[in-house]
Amino acid sequence: VGAAENPLLSGDLTTSVQISGNNYEIARLQSRLGSSGNDRALVHAFGEIRLMANRLRASQTIIDRANTLFKRMTDTKALRGRSTEANCAACLFIACSQEGATRTFKEICAVCTVSRKQIGKSFKLILKALNTNVETGRISEYMPRFCNNIGLDHYTQQNCYHCSRTSG
């Protein structure tokens, strides 16, 4: 019994054998024979998205949406030649916005190793390729999380939230 098949991958169901010890070469060959290059790239990207999302404490719904976005962009080939990590980060940013858990570019940059500029370029290409628009978050969307992160009491959080709602 293995893990559930990922519907975003095109490969057939395969069986792999757990290799222990120093049989690195056998494990490498087995992984190469088991899937296509495109599927390996997708699995790697999905792992990057999961890692970044876990650092952000994002939900599984956001991870799934970011994976779907990345798969759609891979199929359209709109992001060819760009950094995979920047593309993953941009997909995660868009997924967070679409799921109502808006993050700033600064927060996304904090969980990956690429620059804000690279993420921004990938972000713009994705929006153009999908012919869509993502609303940037208002301060009132960020306020509860920021107040919680710095440990403000409930009364102060409510006042901050109220001020942010009335000002913007």
Side-chain angles (χ1 to χ4, degrees), residues 52-107:
M52 286 186 247
N54 286 341
R55 290 177 184 158
L56 287 171
R57 295 187 190 106
S59 68
Q60 184 62 42
T61 308
I62 292 171
I63 294 170
D64 292 341
R65 181 166 304 236
N67 287 345
T68 304
L69 279 170
F70 190 88
K71 170 70 170 151
R72 285 176 58 196
M73 295 312 301
T74 302
D75 291 344
T76 63
K77 298 181 177 154
L79 296 176
R80 271 212 160 151
R82 297 228 162 257
S83 160
T84 300
E85 191 175 4
N87 296 339
C88 291
C91 287
L92 186 61
F93 178 82
I94 293 169
C96 285
S97 296
Q98 290 175 342
E99 291 296 324
T102 311
R103 302 284 196 238
T104 64
F105 271 117
K106 191 173 182 178
E107 288 177 292

Side-chain angles (χ1 to χ4, degrees), residues 34-154:
S35 61
S36 70
N38 192 32
D39 280 352
R40 279 194 306 274
L42 284 174
V43 168
H44 172 72
F46 294 166
E48 288 283 330
I49 290 170
R50 179 171 299 285
L51 185 66
M52 286 186 247
N54 286 341
R55 290 177 184 158
L56 287 171
R57 295 187 190 106
S59 68
Q60 184 62 42
T61 308
I62 292 171
I63 294 170
D64 292 341
R65 181 166 304 236
N67 287 345
T68 304
L69 279 170
F70 190 88
K71 170 70 170 151
R72 285 176 58 196
M73 295 312 301
T74 302
D75 291 344
T76 63
K77 298 181 177 154
L79 296 176
R80 271 212 160 151
R82 297 228 162 257
S83 160
T84 300
E85 191 175 4
N87 296 339
C88 291
C91 287
L92 186 61
F93 178 82
I94 293 169
C96 285
S97 296
Q98 290 175 342
E99 291 296 324
T102 311
R103 302 284 196 238
T104 64
F105 271 117
K106 191 173 182 178
E107 288 177 292
I108 299 291
C109 287
V111 298
C112 64
T113 60
V114 293
S115 70
R116 181 178 174 183
K117 185 176 180 179
Q118 286 178 299
I119 296 170
K121 285 181 179 180
S122 291
F123 171 73
K124 287 179 184 177
L125 284 173
I126 292 169
L127 292 182
K128 184 178 179 183
L130 296 178
N131 198 23
T132 187
N133 194 5
V134 174
E135 285 190 33
T136 56
R138 296 184 307 249
I139 190 68
S140 61
E141 294 174 8
Y142 302 113
M143 187 63 66
R145 190 173 66 252
F146 290 162
C147 288
N148 193 33
N149 287 345
I150 60 174
L152 294 178
D153 63 90
H154 183 70

Side-chain angles (χ1 to χ4, degrees), residues 19-27:
I19 298 173
S20 61
N22 294 330
N23 296 325
Y24 171 75
E25 191 67 25
I26 294 171

